[in-house]
Amino acid sequence: MPKHYRPPGKKKEGNVAKYVTRSQAVKLLQVNLSTFRRLCILKGVFPREPKKKVKGNHHTYYHLKDIMFVKHDPLLEKFREMRTYDKKLKKAVAKKNKDLYERLRTRKPTYTLDRLILERYPKFADALRDLDDCLSMVHLFAALPALERENIEVKRIHNCRKLSHEWQAYIARTHKLRKVFISVKGIYYQAEVEGQKITWLTPHALQQVLPDDVDYNVMLTFLEFYETLVAFVNFKLYHSISVKYPPILDPQLEALAEELYALSRYLDANTRSSRPSGSNQVESQENEKQHDESDLRLAQLQHQLPHNEPGALMHLVEDAAGEDEEDEDTKECENLFKDMKFFLGREVPRESLLFVIPAFGGIVSWERDGAPFREADQSITHQIVDRPTQGHIFLSREYVQPQWIYDCVNARIILPTEGYLVGRVPPPHLSPFVDNEAEGYVPDYAETIKHLQAAASNEVLPMPGTVKEDLEDPQRLLVEGIIDRAEANEAAEKKRKMATLEKQYHDELKLELEGAQYSSSMINQNMESNAASGEAREKPVPDLQQIADDSANMSKIVMSRKKRRLLEAMEIGKKRKQANVDLLKERKKKSEAGQSSKEK
Amino acid sequence: MKKHEEEEKVYEEGARSYPEALNGGGSPVDSGSDYEDYSDDGDSEDYGSWEEDAESGEEGATGSGSDQDESEDGNSEEFELSEETQSGESDSQEHKGSVKTNNKGKLSNDHAQIDDGESEISESDRRAEESDSSEDEVPSRNTIGDVPLEWYRDEGHIGYDVKGKKIKKKERQDKLDAFLASADDSKNWRKIHDEYNDEVVELTKDETRLIRRLLKGKAPHSGFDPYPDYVDFFKWDDAKHPLSNAPEPKRRFIPSKWEAKKVAKYVRALREGLIKLDKPKEEPRFYNLWGDDPNSKDRAGHLAYIPAPKPKLPGHEESYNPSLEYIPTQEEINSYQLMYEEDRPKFIPRRYTSLKSVPAYENAVNDSFERCMDLYMSYRAWKKRLNIDPESLKPKLPSRKDLKPYPVTCYLEYRGHEGAVVSISTEASGQWIASGSADGTVRIWEVETGRCRGVWTIGEPVLCVSWNPLSELPILAIAAGQDVLLINTGMGNEEDQEKIKELLQVEISGTAGDSDEQPLVSWLQDDRHKHEAIILRHFKTVTSVEWHRKGDYLSTVTPAGESRAILIHQLSKKITQKIPFKLHGLPVSSVFHPSRSIFFVSTKKNIRVYDLLKHKLIKKLETGLREVSSIAIHPQGDNVIVGSREGKLCWFDMDLSSQPYKTLQCHSKDITNVAFHRSYPLFASCSDDCTAYVFHGMVYSDFNQNPLIVPLEILRGHVNSNGRGVLDCKFHPRQPWLFTAGADSVVRLYCH
């Protein structure tokens, strides 16, 4: 019961007063269950677990404050209004009052969710934090077929598609994509926007099945909220790179279902035009470019972009000036596929690659109308192919499988293409979300990639090191004026000494550690030798394992029960993890053995 | 032929007769009904039946026959059909001169099937045309009547003629012939096999035209105009008189009240803004909701928002192309079936060699739905995740090296017993130990050499041995069965021996107690052994014997003794007395306080502490254990350790509380005995799991500091026999050495 309406004899405080069951809540709000569900979903109200479940274990409990929060929302009134409106409409139809019906039909009560979004996510960062589910859902619905029976309208599917493309275009444009993983369930992407890691799942671009055992009403309510949220987030993001939202797309590309490409072009054009010109570019070039861009923009706005050489146009707007606020990571991502030109075969997942490759600085085209350049283009460096054999081969480019792109992206280096060539079974695709060391098992290929990464960074790393030293010496020269070689020598000597001392200390420590472990056994042996007085000695020397166990046990004895249980639980967890790792190792050993026997 | 012409006439009549009919007072609709009737007959009723015919091929006849209500009609119509064809032909003579005779013999059923699409419609249409011309009946060739044709399927005839002769069926053309015929004759498609009359009918051009028109949805005859211009039959202009002479009603020329009301209502609604005529303005749906201010207001006034946990990120095994070791073998997958459903892995990794071959994930929508359900249906709460190093949980203990000396390794073994060594006891000087065994012997060993100095055979399994704590009185108390033997071990110098001998003399008369009462214990002189000995005969089995520190008193415990369970014997006076307290529960053991006249009695659950001088219960220690097995007192007397049968060891600080200060779960099996060292801060416990633990137990004189307990060493070496391990442990009185007695009939000495 709410505080201001508490009948006499009801509890004022405690779990009874604080929590209500769902049916109580529904009664209190005077709505039906489905409306209650909608309200809960839209308001983000979830059940809370009371310490004591007063009404029993099989009820769902809501906090009374949450329910009052819902009760005071204008949305509740709006839903009631819609209900009455439906009744009116029905009545008008039943009475054959066409006039009224027509008039009513144009006055359908509507509601907006922007207030709710602001209420739920007062800061933009909050919205970004909760964006994972939104994006996954929007991407899923973008791939679903419309179904009249379940109220999944074509309009919404298109909207989802649009939103997902807008999001992807932003991520690709700002090079915020960090990790990509192709799983059986779909493709996982992870981007980092304003310090928030956002992971979303897109299904594979195939016909999805709509199961019957799913309540689509619930999903659509969620989707309603998510669509709005993603749209507002997109607005904010586009706003941040000074691009108009919603974007206006090239209708020709739109007709060819190349929304993503169209969007990226739109973004490029807009950001370029809005950026103040003042870099070290040649002025004439600049002017020309700007002219071009304004042309392009104009054309776009008027929906009459001529479709000649879009690739050239794209190339014009492509090279981006260095952005100061970009962090190290983004720069790295931006330059991964720099100076590479990709061409996608028909059979590769185009949408995904069109998103990923530009996000990492590559230029990409595909085999269809509206593509920026043709297959015969000589400057193409890589062609992405996913077929057992490739008929016609251009010698100037490499033919790789799509997994190469994803692996490169995750490793952040250009991997050698040997394993990924056409017709080969590619090396295992590993999840970038796993911390191999923490997991306790490092797959072979992860090891290989690590070596490659080390090699790649070594090529680069020694350079700054030497440069620094070089820099340091002249500095000292300048400051001190005279090169005090003796002093330098002394310092070096000191350092060396310190190092040796440190090493010694470490060794000692190590010895001590070992000694502590093995002291008992050593004493044991001594005693044994001392006490060799002709007595029968069948007693086995306690092995090291035993001693280690004992010492582990020792401290366990003194622990309190609570801590001991905790420790035991941890140990069980550890053991389980270890068992998993062992299983993997065993399987690996088996498969290796199988392979070697086969080779023989 | 005549008929047809007549019909034509009727058409024309119908068309022309509209005005007449209207003039006659009928409405144009009425006149139209004539036409409707005409089309109804043929189209709606017969068409259906005929269609069926054609479809069902040979059996089709049954279809037509089965229309019972128009049995006669059907017959006659069939007949007409053939007739009509001829008439149609003759009709069409003007268009085409050639008249074709029906070559009945040639055509076959098959042919009809070949172009049945054509024929079916054409026939039905023809019927439609002739349906209401049922007056002129040309008898059909078939005389079987209105019976299903199927009945005559196997017969060679289709009825009888007037003379009573069978009307024979014609020979059937086979498919090849039909095909050849169709190939030869380009007009062959016009030929239709009339099933009923068993003859071939050829459609004329006119007929086909008719059919085509019908197919297009036009009227069958080209001359017919379905939408003639309306000619009004009533003309007012020229009339002299009005139709009615009634005056014009008032309502015709005054404005309507109701209309005015309605208008007023609308006007009001418009004024009040209830009806808006202009379309609602389209506002931009999206705007910069959060503004550019990064630190905008917080969510206030509500309960704390708990963000939903993020979905789990996929591991290597979910990859479309995981490394081989992530893929379970077929046996493993099969073994999942044996698991409980909740334990079964939800996802079985699979490997696809190319990205192209990855299928759509069938549970995508379900997974998303599950997530939705989780988001709005499941409880959310902040849970503290312990991200701590397990090592940090372990208490910081002082290094064991600093706590030396303590017994570490087995130094000596004393072998000689044949049964399990149940009890051992060290002599006050620490030179000797006595051990009592289940084989009924008691042995005395020299500690440092392991030499067996003497053996007494008691006869019954020994349960407890105990040296007198005074070094000048080397008397050994042995509990075996119902007896407690006090044996002079014969150690010590002459003076001591004499004293002992004196002590161990019992007058026969002094059998203690009054004559009328049953004595608690009978003091008897034992002559069996070469040394002097006293037997204290109890009435039940004695399990433990404990000496008072002064060596004059000793207490015995007989668990089954009820009120006489715990007795205190005085050696010098040869007296036995009960303790003046009520015991609650079965007694397990009893101990004297090491310095004061305090007596500890442990029952199975609790320890009771009595003051012997004041005859008062001082304290009750609640162990919380299931079954206490042994008890030992710290030499300073303020701390007690209790061992239990569940392997737990309790340390009580008597000053602190009656609850255990610390409970250590160290042994996996029953603790058989616990012991304190007399001078070193050591204590030990031994158990049936064949181990003995040595602990450091430092008690500080400072009251503010709690005792420090550090486990030091696990001593192993004894072997399990009959499920029993180490049965007793005792410290050396001066050295940090531990003696353990095992069920494997060995006594061991552990030294530092």
Side-chain angles (χ1 to χ4, degrees):
Chain A
M1 285 295 134
K3 216 187 277 169
H4 57 268
Y5 178 65
R6 179 165 45 77
K10 290 282 178 192
K11 287 271 165 73
K12 284 186 209 170
E13 51 190 23
N15 284 328
V16 187
K18 262 193 221 155
Y19 292 94
V20 289
T21 60
R22 192 183 62 179
S23 46
Q24 275 177 324
V26 165
K27 212 174 145 195
L28 201 132
L29 293 177
Q30 301 187 2
V31 290
N32 54 10
L33 188 58
S34 57
T35 315
F36 176 71
R37 274 196 193 133
R38 276 175 71 86
L39 280 168
C40 281
I41 292 168
L42 294 176
K43 288 283 278 184
V45 166
F46 44 85
R48 291 181 196 249
E49 196 159 29
K51 285 227 174 71
K52 193 179 160 198
K53 294 184 172 174
V54 184
K55 290 270 174 182
N57 241 343
H58 53 286
H59 286 286
T60 314
Y61 291 87
Y62 287 87
H63 200 286
L64 193 63
K65 268 192 171 180
D66 277 338
I67 298 302
M68 297 318 286
F69 180 45
V70 171
K71 195 179 179 189
H72 290 117
D73 201 275
L75 203 60
L76 183 65
E77 201 47 51
K78 207 79 195 179
F79 279 147
R80 291 207 182 108
E81 212 173 281
M82 286 170 81
R83 213 167 115 87
T84 48
Y85 167 80
D86 281 344
K87 278 183 190 164
K88 274 185 201 163
L89 209 63
K90 216 168 134 190
K91 196 173 171 185
V93 170
K95 298 235 167 182
K96 299 198 172 110
N97 193 346
K98 218 171 176 189
D99 251 10
L100 183 62
Y101 174 76
E102 280 304 321
R103 207 170 60 239
L104 280 177
R105 225 163 43 90
T106 54
R107 310 276 162 219
K108 191 173 176 13
T110 53
Y111 56 91
T112 50
L113 296 174
D114 41 356
R115 193 182 35 76
L116 283 185
I117 287 173
L118 198 61
E119 195 176 84
R120 279 174 72 171
Y121 307 112
K123 289 177 193 159
F124 184 53
D126 298 336
L128 286 180
R129 183 194 55 203
D130 268 11
L131 211 57
D132 286 24
D133 289 317
C134 312
L135 287 172
S136 296
M137 189 106 154
V138 165
H139 277 90
L140 172 68
F141 268 86
L144 286 188
L147 196 63
E148 205 59 48
R149 173 165 49 91
E150 303 286 5
N151 263 334
I152 307 174
E153 297 162 13
V154 184
K155 199 176 70 190
R156 298 190 75 176
I157 302 285
H158 280 310
N159 190 31
C160 285
R161 238 182 111 70
K162 198 188 85 194
L163 288 174
S164 61
H165 282 138
E166 282 165 7
W167 168 261
Q168 287 181 7
Y170 170 78
I171 294 292
R173 178 67 192 78
T174 51
H175 308 286
K176 301 244 159 140
L177 190 64
R178 293 289 173 271
K179 287 166 180 175
V180 190
F181 175 56
I182 320 168
S183 85
V184 174
K185 294 180 181 174
I187 304 179
Y188 286 88
Y189 298 99
Q190 190 174 61
E192 202 175 334
V193 182
E194 304 204 354
Q196 298 277 356
K197 273 186 183 158
I198 300 166
T199 317
W200 74 96
L201 170 69
T202 64
H204 290 297
L206 293 162
Q207 178 73 39
Q208 295 289 331
V209 267
L210 288 172
D212 294 331
D213 54 344
V214 161
D215 185 357
Y216 288 98
N217 284 332
V218 169
M219 290 187 85
L220 287 173
T221 311
F222 267 103
L223 187 70
E224 187 185 351
F225 183 77
Y226 287 164
E227 275 176 289
T228 324
L229 177 59
V230 172
F232 274 111
V233 166
N234 278 352
F235 187 96
K236 169 93 182 167
L237 292 175
Y238 275 55
H239 188 75
S240 71
I241 53 169
S242 10
V243 176
K244 191 173 176 295
Y245 186 90
I248 301 152
L249 300 187
D250 177 5
Q252 244 163 336
L253 283 177
E254 218 174 341
L256 290 166
E258 304 294 353
E259 287 100 337
L260 191 57
Y261 175 56
L263 259 171
S264 71
R265 274 178 53 176
Y266 171 77
L267 274 179
D268 285 337
N270 276 308
T271 45
R272 289 289 301 149
S273 58
S274 61
R275 197 171 290 151
S277 60
S279 47
N280 47 3
Q281 305 239 342
V282 185
E283 237 175 276
S284 63
Q285 212 179 338
E286 187 86 36
N287 281 341
E288 197 183 302
K289 199 183 286 176
Q290 266 184 354
H291 180 246
D292 271 344
E293 272 160 11
S294 57
D295 265 358
L296 178 85
R297 191 161 154 64
L298 208 77
Q300 273 180 345
L301 286 173
Q302 291 168 349
H303 283 237
Q304 43 185 265
L305 180 82
H307 185 57
N308 50 354
E309 283 195 272
L313 277 175
M314 192 187 181
H315 194 69
L316 270 182
V317 294
E318 186 49 46
D319 51 346
E323 281 169 57
D324 304 328
E325 69 278 342
E326 276 179 3
D327 53 314
E328 200 69 16
D329 227 13
T330 310
K331 253 177 205 159
E332 194 187 339
C333 288
E334 196 180 335
N335 295 328
L336 183 67
F337 290 138
K338 207 167 187 180
D339 308 328
M340 287 191 179
K341 236 173 161 184
F342 296 89
F343 189 83
L344 309 183
R346 269 184 293 121
E347 65 284 351
V348 300
R350 181 154 49 91
E351 292 230 327
S352 167
L353 287 170
L354 275 186
F355 169 44
V356 172
I357 294 172
F360 286 86
I363 304 170
V364 64
S365 177
W366 60 95
E367 200 175 324
R368 242 221 199 150
D369 296 339
F373 48 86
R374 302 268 146 228
E375 192 180 357
D377 194 332
Q378 285 301 315
S379 58
I380 292 170
T381 55
H382 293 82
Q383 183 155 349
I384 316 293
V385 183
D386 193 7
R387 52 178 89 170
T389 51
Q390 174 70 21
H392 179 256
I393 286 179
F394 289 94
L395 288 174
S396 61
R397 62 183 80 157
E398 288 185 272
Y399 288 82
V400 287
Q401 298 191 29
Q403 197 195 316
W404 181 74
I405 297 278
Y406 298 108
D407 282 352
C408 282
V409 161
N410 290 333
R412 296 274 173 83
I413 50 164
I414 303 298
L415 294 172
T417 52
E418 279 103 52
Y420 300 91
L421 292 179
V422 179
R424 293 197 192 168
V425 174
H429 182 58
L430 299 173
S431 167
F433 305 116
V434 179
D435 184 2
N436 282 324
E437 271 70 36
E439 206 75 3
Y441 178 77
V442 185
D444 277 352
Y445 195 61
E447 206 79 71
T448 318
I449 287 177
K450 218 172 163 190
H451 283 305
L452 288 170
Q453 273 171 337
S457 61
N458 271 345
E459 273 178 8
V460 187
L461 265 183
M463 291 296 287
T466 50
V467 166
K468 222 179 228 172
E469 267 175 23
D470 288 346
L471 275 176
E472 232 171 44
D473 275 339
Q475 263 178 358
R476 214 195 279 159
L477 260 170
L478 279 173
V479 171
E480 293 178 1
I482 317 151
I483 323 159
D484 199 344
R485 188 162 285 192
E487 206 179 84
N489 276 346
E490 226 174 64
E493 194 83 60
K494 222 180 199 173
K495 233 181 209 173
R496 213 171 296 141
K497 237 180 216 171
M498 285 287 277
T500 49
L501 274 174
E502 209 167 55
K503 201 180 169 223
Q504 211 170 352
Y505 173 70
H506 276 300
D507 284 349
E508 267 172 14
L509 268 181
K510 216 181 268 175
L511 271 177
E512 204 169 59
L513 271 174
E514 280 168 8
Q517 259 192 2
Y518 300 132
S519 62
S520 48
S521 65
M522 276 159 72
I523 289 166
N524 196 349
Q525 280 166 1
N526 289 342
M527 291 294 271
E528 212 72 70
S529 54
N530 286 345
S533 54
E535 274 190 341
R537 242 186 301 145
E538 82 276 26
K539 192 198 96 179
V541 180
D543 52 331
L544 298 177
Q545 181 62 40
Q546 182 81 61
I547 285 162
D549 277 0
D550 281 0
S551 58
N553 261 348
M554 280 316 169
S555 45
K556 229 193 230 181
I557 288 165
V558 202
M559 286 162 121
S560 68
R561 179 162 47 185
K562 199 173 164 188
K563 279 192 174 173
R564 193 170 59 230
R565 293 274 157 83
L566 191 62
L567 184 72
E568 273 160 11
M570 279 178 171
E571 272 168 2
I572 286 171
K574 243 188 203 170
K575 237 177 237 167
R576 199 173 292 149
K577 217 169 168 187
Q578 191 57 38
N580 277 340
V581 171
D582 288 346
L583 181 69
L584 289 179
K585 280 181 181 161
E586 195 189 331
R587 274 188 203 151
K588 194 181 168 197
K589 208 185 276 175
K590 259 185 204 166
S591 69
E592 271 172 6
Q595 271 183 0
S596 62
S597 67
K598 243 182 231 170
E599 276 167 22
K600 276 167 196 175
Chain B
M1 213 196 305
K2 249 194 273 168
K3 171 70 200 145
H4 191 83
E5 279 165 1
E6 259 177 39
E7 233 176 35
E8 290 274 71
K9 243 184 234 166
V10 170
Y11 277 139
E12 280 160 28
E13 260 174 29
R16 271 173 224 139
S17 67
Y18 284 153
E20 291 166 31
L22 284 173
N23 280 328
S27 69
V29 182
D30 282 335
S31 72
S33 73
D34 202 350
Y35 172 65
E36 268 170 20
D37 278 358
Y38 156 76
S39 64
D40 259 8
D41 276 7
D43 243 309
S44 59
E45 288 166 31
D46 292 29
Y47 188 76
S49 70
W50 265 90
E51 204 169 35
E52 228 177 291
D53 284 3
E55 271 169 7
S56 51
E58 293 186 343
E59 292 168 11
T62 53
S64 74
S66 66
D67 287 350
Q68 294 295 340
D69 16 37
E70 41 159 14
S71 54
E72 275 205 302
D73 229 34
N75 234 336
S76 59
E77 274 163 16
E78 295 312 320
F79 180 67
E80 281 165 32
L81 229 169
S82 56
E83 191 66 6
E84 187 44 45
T85 49
Q86 287 171 353
S87 68
E89 276 163 31
S90 53
D91 242 6
S92 65
Q93 271 179 8
E94 50 218 318
H95 306 291
K96 283 241 173 176
S98 64
V99 181
K100 282 207 172 162
T101 51
N102 298 341
N103 47 348
K104 291 168 187 174
K106 271 283 172 186
L107 276 191
S108 73
N109 190 22
D110 296 344
H111 182 84
Q113 274 176 354
I114 287 170
D115 49 11
D116 60 354
E118 236 14 277
S119 62
E120 154 189 347
I121 298 159
S122 58
E123 263 177 333
S124 64
D125 284 341
R126 204 152 2 114
R127 280 173 55 77
E129 186 189 341
E130 276 131 48
S131 55
D132 69 345
S133 59
S134 54
E135 306 97 69
D136 58 336
E137 294 189 348
V138 183
S140 65
R141 212 173 82 85
N142 192 331
T143 57
I144 55 173
D146 187 23
V147 294
L149 262 186
E150 198 183 4
W151 296 0
Y152 280 82
R153 193 171 53 192
D154 298 330
E155 303 293 335
H157 63 282
I158 46 167
Y160 300 89
D161 61 4
V162 187
K163 289 166 195 163
K165 278 184 185 170
K166 283 180 179 175
I167 303 171
K168 291 275 181 195
K169 277 187 188 171
K170 283 168 188 136
E171 289 275 309
R172 287 283 158 91
Q173 204 178 17
D174 61 356
K175 277 197 174 176
L176 190 66
D177 283 344
F179 176 73
L180 284 175
S182 68
D184 291 343
D185 189 2
S186 61
K187 296 273 170 63
N188 203 40
W189 60 273
R190 289 190 182 199
K191 288 173 187 165
I192 300 160
H193 180 243
D194 178 7
E195 188 99 7
Y196 189 77
N197 288 325
D198 196 23
E199 59 192 8
V200 172
V201 182
E202 190 168 342
L203 298 177
T204 60
K205 274 206 168 160
D206 250 11
E207 277 163 347
T208 51
R209 200 172 300 134
L210 210 68
I211 289 160
R212 286 219 176 91
R213 281 185 66 79
L214 276 171
L215 276 174
K216 280 178 189 163
K218 291 177 186 168
H221 289 271
S222 53
F224 177 69
D225 178 15
Y227 310 108
D229 289 334
Y230 174 67
V231 183
D232 198 359
F233 64 94
F234 183 75
K235 277 191 175 165
W236 177 254
D237 302 341
D238 305 338
K240 280 181 181 168
H241 302 290
L243 279 178
S244 160
N245 222 4
E248 193 94 327
K250 192 181 175 184
R251 64 170 181 278
R252 295 257 172 93
F253 53 85
I254 61 165
S256 160
K257 177 187 170 189
W258 306 110
E259 243 175 52
K261 274 195 167 183
K262 215 165 221 178
V263 167
K265 199 176 142 198
Y266 281 134
V267 167
R268 204 178 303 129
L270 279 169
R271 271 194 199 137
E272 283 173 9
L274 294 176
I275 301 174
K276 287 176 205 136
L277 293 178
D278 49 339
K279 269 194 174 177
K281 237 203 248 167
E282 280 278 323
E283 278 178 29
R285 278 195 64 206
F286 304 109
Y287 54 95
N288 195 354
L289 185 63
W290 286 279
D292 294 323
D293 186 19
N295 43 1
S296 51
K297 58 271 150 201
D298 240 346
R299 186 190 154 100
H302 308 304
L303 292 174
Y305 175 69
I306 304 170
K310 296 204 167 185
K312 206 179 140 271
L313 289 174
H316 294 315
E317 70 279 354
E318 279 189 37
S319 166
Y320 88 99
N321 177 19
S323 11
L324 279 172
E325 59 261 30
Y326 286 98
I327 298 160
T329 56
Q330 194 55 46
E331 295 104 67
E332 278 167 336
I333 291 170
N334 292 342
S335 73
Y336 293 157
Q337 293 304 315
L338 301 174
M339 288 178 168
Y340 287 113
E341 197 152 340
E342 52 264 31
D343 295 343
R344 224 172 274 166
K346 295 198 174 43
F347 178 80
I348 297 173
R350 278 200 60 189
R351 189 155 184 256
Y352 301 95
T353 47
S354 73
L355 189 51
K356 197 172 47 175
S357 55
V358 183
Y361 181 56
E362 70 272 23
N363 282 337
V365 178
N366 286 60
D367 282 1
S368 179
F369 179 63
E370 297 266 294
R371 176 72 185 167
C372 285
M373 295 299 274
D374 282 350
L375 283 179
Y376 91 102
M377 293 270 276
S378 53
Y379 291 120
R380 283 191 214 167
W382 288 109
K383 281 266 160 67
K384 261 191 210 158
R385 163 151 297 186
L386 281 175
N387 195 10
I388 43 174
D389 181 24
E391 288 304 312
S392 70
L393 282 176
K394 292 177 179 170
K396 286 267 180 300
L397 295 176
S399 161
R400 285 193 286 167
K401 267 198 283 182
D402 303 341
L403 303 178
K404 276 182 178 176
Y406 56 87
V408 170
T409 50
C410 183
Y411 176 63
L412 261 185
E413 287 178 356
Y414 306 92
R415 288 169 181 272
H417 281 293
E418 271 133 38
V421 184
V422 176
S423 174
I424 48 175
S425 179
T426 53
E427 201 246 344
S429 61
Q431 201 183 349
W432 310 97
I433 58 165
S435 64
S437 160
D439 61 358
T441 57
V442 172
R443 282 169 187 261
I444 293 191
W445 314 86
E446 196 173 5
V447 168
E448 279 166 26
T449 57
R451 178 175 67 94
C452 181
R453 186 172 175 276
V455 184
W456 289 285
T457 309
I458 310 296
E460 276 183 276
V462 177
L463 291 177
C464 186
V465 291
S466 181
W467 285 96
N468 193 313
L470 296 181
S471 52
E472 64 268 22
L473 279 180
I475 297 174
L476 188 66
I478 301 165
Q482 297 184 357
D483 297 343
V484 173
L485 276 83
L486 301 174
I487 289 182
N488 176 13
T489 51
M491 270 171 268
N493 49 25
E494 296 290 306
E495 275 177 44
D496 291 346
Q497 277 299 321
E498 271 179 26
K499 214 168 151 189
I500 291 163
K501 271 173 195 166
E502 210 172 290
L503 259 178
L504 297 179
Q505 285 299 326
V506 185
E507 303 94 58
I508 313 300
S509 57
T511 358
D514 300 320
S515 55
D516 56 330
E517 237 181 80
Q518 170 80 22
L520 292 167
V521 163
S522 37
W523 292 73
L524 305 169
Q525 192 71 44
D526 187 19
D527 310 325
R528 284 179 293 171
H529 306 287
K530 56 186 177 186
H531 296 289
E532 292 79 14
I534 298 179
I535 296 178
L536 296 171
R537 182 146 296 165
H538 293 65
F539 77 114
K540 284 276 166 64
T541 312
V542 182
T543 54
S544 90
V545 181
E546 282 287 333
W547 286 94
H548 188 248
R549 67 178 188 282
K550 284 177 183 154
D552 195 20
Y553 295 94
L554 75 157
S555 71
T556 56
V557 178
T558 52
E562 292 170 359
S563 68
R564 289 170 287 175
I566 295 178
L567 300 174
I568 297 180
H569 314 276
Q570 192 176 9
L571 186 58
S572 55
K573 294 186 183 160
K574 317 281 187 294
I575 316 174
T576 301
Q577 43 192 181
K578 295 193 284 189
I579 52 162
F581 312 105
K582 196 183 174 219
L583 287 172
H584 302 267
L586 284 178
V588 175
S589 63
S590 62
V591 201
F592 288 100
H593 190 277
S595 54
R596 287 156 63 196
S597 58
I598 291 175
F599 191 53
F600 295 81
V601 176
S602 77
T603 56
K604 286 207 166 171
K605 299 266 179 199
N606 299 319
I607 315 280
R608 282 162 195 274
V609 188
Y610 300 105
D611 191 333
L612 288 173
L613 292 179
K614 292 181 187 161
H615 288 263
K616 211 173 84 182
L617 177 73
I618 299 173
K619 205 157 202 175
K620 190 178 141 194
L621 303 177
E622 283 158 8
T623 59
L625 301 172
R626 232 173 280 146
E627 194 177 346
V628 173
S629 67
S630 51
I631 175 172
I633 318 287
H634 191 267
Q636 281 164 12
D638 281 342
N639 294 284
V640 180
I641 50 171
V642 175
S644 79
R645 291 222 182 273
E646 65 220 82
K648 277 186 186 164
L649 186 77
C650 291
W651 176 290
F652 286 94
D653 192 335
M654 299 264 288
D655 300 328
L656 209 64
S657 97
S658 60
Q659 304 284 337
Y661 158 64
K662 207 147 229 181
T663 306
L664 310 174
Q665 168 82 54
C666 44
H667 292 285
S668 56
K669 281 186 177 174
D670 306 6
I671 291 181
T672 49
N673 221 327
V674 289
F676 263 114
H677 198 280
R678 215 174 279 176
S679 49
Y680 285 97
L682 292 174
F683 66 96
S685 67
C686 61
S687 147
D688 276 342
D689 59 2
C690 299
T691 60
Y693 277 69
V694 180
F695 298 89
H696 173 85
M698 180 59 119
V699 176
Y700 299 97
S701 48
D702 179 12
F703 282 115
N704 290 330
Q705 211 165 354
N706 283 329
L708 172 73
I709 299 170
V710 182
L712 291 174
E713 193 66 47
I714 303 171
L715 304 175
R716 295 166 206 273
H718 283 285
V719 184
N720 194 336
S721 83
N722 294 332
R724 308 223 59 190
V726 187
L727 297 183
D728 199 1
C729 65
K730 285 278 151 49
F731 275 106
H732 190 275
R734 283 194 304 276
Q735 299 289 337
W737 297 347
L738 185 74
F739 300 97
T740 54
D744 51 351
S745 69
V746 181
V747 179
R748 284 165 181 268
L749 167 62
Y750 291 90
C751 287
H752 60 277

